[in-house]
Amino acid sequence: MGRLVNKNNHRNISFDFKVNGNSCADPTTIVNTFNEYFSNVGKNLASKIPVSTPSHVSYLKGSYSSSFALYPTSVHEIIDVTKQLPNKKSSGFDEITVDILKQSIISIAEPLTLIVNASFSTGIVPRLIKIAKVCPVYKGGAKDEFSNYRPISVLPSMSKIFEKLVYNRLSKYLTKLNILSQYQYGFRSNHSTYMALLDFYNKVSKCIDDKNIAIGVFIDLQKAFDTLDHSVLLSKLAHYGVRGISHTWFSNYLVNRKQYIYLNNCVSDYSSVVCGVPQGSILGPLLFLLYINDIVNCSRMLYFTLFADDTNLLYFDKDSSRLVSLLNNEL
């Protein structure tokens, strides 16, 4: 069964790759080349994204006088959050699995509470929980080409406690102030793909009933989570009310992140992650929703249906030529 679902693909990759056009079987060279490739994919794509004119700030709507707060946690909350984490036997660089964390949380909850509260009050995120272990998984194609593998990140189990606590606080704040776009159906409680489909279906059905012609555009953003600009995200967080120490915490959470490759018991050097949200993190998807939240404000004509980075656009008119012209102008 493991072979059918590719569970073991990252464990049995052969050390035989093309490095700079030459065959290479040296494990150290291969894991370091993997690390260089994975850490640069998002950065290289991000460098090609032109600066928006006008500024992204012009698309941010609303005024938020309330401020988000990272209020202190408690021993009870720490234990409760840990018990709710999905059972996983994989471990990050600290080699502590979630299973082990759950079994020992009663003993460590009190000092852990002090550490988390110190982080929340100072805006400093512990350096060691910002290290990702990355395992290459074969996708398809030539097995000796690095581009035919995708990275699977495993973060330290302890980081999941920090992130879940912040996620719960930020999610409640966003819900209370109704900040997330009503057209966003991804990574949200009480929202799902079928709701996005129903929304899109209803718009098209009404268009047909009104004897209009509809055009849909389905946009796929390449490496959307990996190319996210930290300065833009932090600017948007400030707009939505994440200020002061809380803003400092998110800034510290995003910067100075490291990753390394783990393959066949061989470990690469560390490399820096300078853009994007952490893969495999609890906070990453929610931060991305805030990052893309204002995309619905860039057009007053198009109808949006969003599922995280999947952006579906719809417009209709009785005249097909005018419809195509208007749509291209909006794009």
Side-chain angles (χ1 to χ4, degrees):
M1 182 63 183
R3 289 167 55 196
L4 292 176
V5 295
N6 293 328
K7 277 194 171 183
N8 298 318
N9 278 4
H10 65 282
R11 299 177 186 171
N12 301 309
I13 297 174
S14 172
F15 279 128
D16 186 10
F17 283 82
K18 288 181 181 177
V19 178
N20 298 323
N22 299 316
S23 180
C24 177
D26 177 55
T28 302
T29 301
I30 289 170
V31 292
N32 281 316
T33 305
F34 254 125
N35 200 25
E36 182 181 3
Y37 173 75
F38 285 148
S39 61
N40 284 326
V41 167
K43 182 172 67 174
N44 292 339
L45 278 173
S47 67
K48 297 176 184 177
I49 299 174
V51 177
S52 174
T53 304
S55 166
H56 68 274
V57 176
S58 64
Y59 297 107
L60 296 172
K61 306 299 181 183
S63 177
Y64 301 91
S65 57
S66 300
S67 293
F68 168 75
L70 283 171
Y71 53 85
T73 186
S74 64
V75 170
H76 174 76
E77 187 183 19
I78 290 279
I79 295 172
D80 187 51
V81 161
T82 305
K83 287 182 177 180
Q84 291 177 21
L85 294 174
N87 290 319
K88 288 188 177 180
K89 297 189 181 298
S90 57
S91 61
F93 87 101
D94 57 359
E95 298 186 357
I96 300 174
T97 66
V98 171
D99 291 351
I100 291 176
L101 194 60
K102 285 185 173 184
Q103 293 172 26
S104 59
I105 192 60
I106 299 295
S107 302
I108 64 173
E110 189 168 344
L112 184 56
T113 300
L114 296 175
I115 294 171
V116 172
N117 285 337
S119 175
F120 286 179
S121 63
T122 61
I124 298 173
V125 180
R127 177 177 55 85
L128 295 181
I129 68 171
K130 297 194 288 184
I131 299 174
K133 179 174 80 173
V134 180
C135 303
V137 174
Y138 175 64
K139 295 187 298 184
K143 291 189 175 182
D144 59 354
E145 295 183 9
F146 296 97
S147 60
N148 291 330
Y149 294 79
R150 61 185 175 93
I152 299 297
S153 291
V154 183
L155 297 172
S157 296
M158 204 68 71
S159 72
K160 299 183 185 302
I161 297 176
F162 277 80
E163 292 200 30
K164 188 61 177 176
L165 292 168
V166 177
Y167 176 93
N168 289 344
R169 287 155 173 73
L170 182 58
S171 182
K172 287 179 182 177
Y173 173 80
L174 298 177
T175 301
K176 180 180 178 181
L177 297 186
N178 197 29
I179 288 175
L180 293 180
S181 170
Q182 63 177 314
Y183 306 110
Q184 176 61 259
Y185 295 92
F187 301 121
R188 300 180 65 185
S189 59
N190 302 318
H191 291 72
S192 66
T193 49
Y194 86 84
M195 295 175 71
L197 288 168
L198 281 176
D199 178 39
F200 196 80
Y201 175 84
N202 288 336
K203 289 172 183 173
V204 174
S205 295
K206 186 178 185 307
C207 166
I208 294 172
D209 291 341
D210 294 340
K211 296 184 172 21
N212 283 316
I213 303 168
I215 289 186
V217 179
F218 305 92
I219 299 174
D220 179 41
L221 305 177
Q222 187 177 12
K223 299 288 182 183
F225 282 65
D226 297 328
T227 56
L228 180 150
D229 186 300
H230 291 167
S231 63
V232 173
L233 173 61
L234 290 170
S235 170
K236 294 184 177 185
L237 284 172
H239 169 78
Y240 292 124
V242 180
R243 307 180 179 99
I245 292 296
S246 296
H247 193 271
T248 302
W249 191 94
F250 281 103
S251 176
N252 197 264
Y253 168 80
L254 292 168
V255 300
N256 298 322
R257 300 196 74 92
K258 304 289 184 181
Q259 71 173 41
Y260 69 94
I261 300 296
Y262 177 83
L263 178 62
N264 294 2
N265 294 318
C266 190
V267 176
S268 74
D269 298 330
Y270 283 12
S271 65
S272 297
V273 181
V274 298
C275 60
V277 289
Q279 187 195 85
S281 65
I282 294 172
L283 268 177
L286 186 57
L287 292 176
F288 183 81
L289 294 189
L290 283 170
Y291 187 73
I292 203 173
N293 195 52
D294 55 300
I295 192 173
V296 298
N297 299 327
C298 72
S299 173
R300 296 181 180 180
M301 299 175 65
L302 301 180
Y303 294 90
F304 288 79
T305 305
L306 309 173
F307 196 91
D309 59 320
D310 288 328
T311 306
N312 303 331
L313 310 175
L314 183 69
Y315 195 61
F316 45 82
D317 196 279
K318 294 188 182 299
D319 184 277
S320 59
S321 298
R322 184 170 59 208
L323 178 58
V324 170
S325 176
L326 286 171
L327 184 62
N328 280 321
N329 285 334
E330 290 301 295
L331 285 174

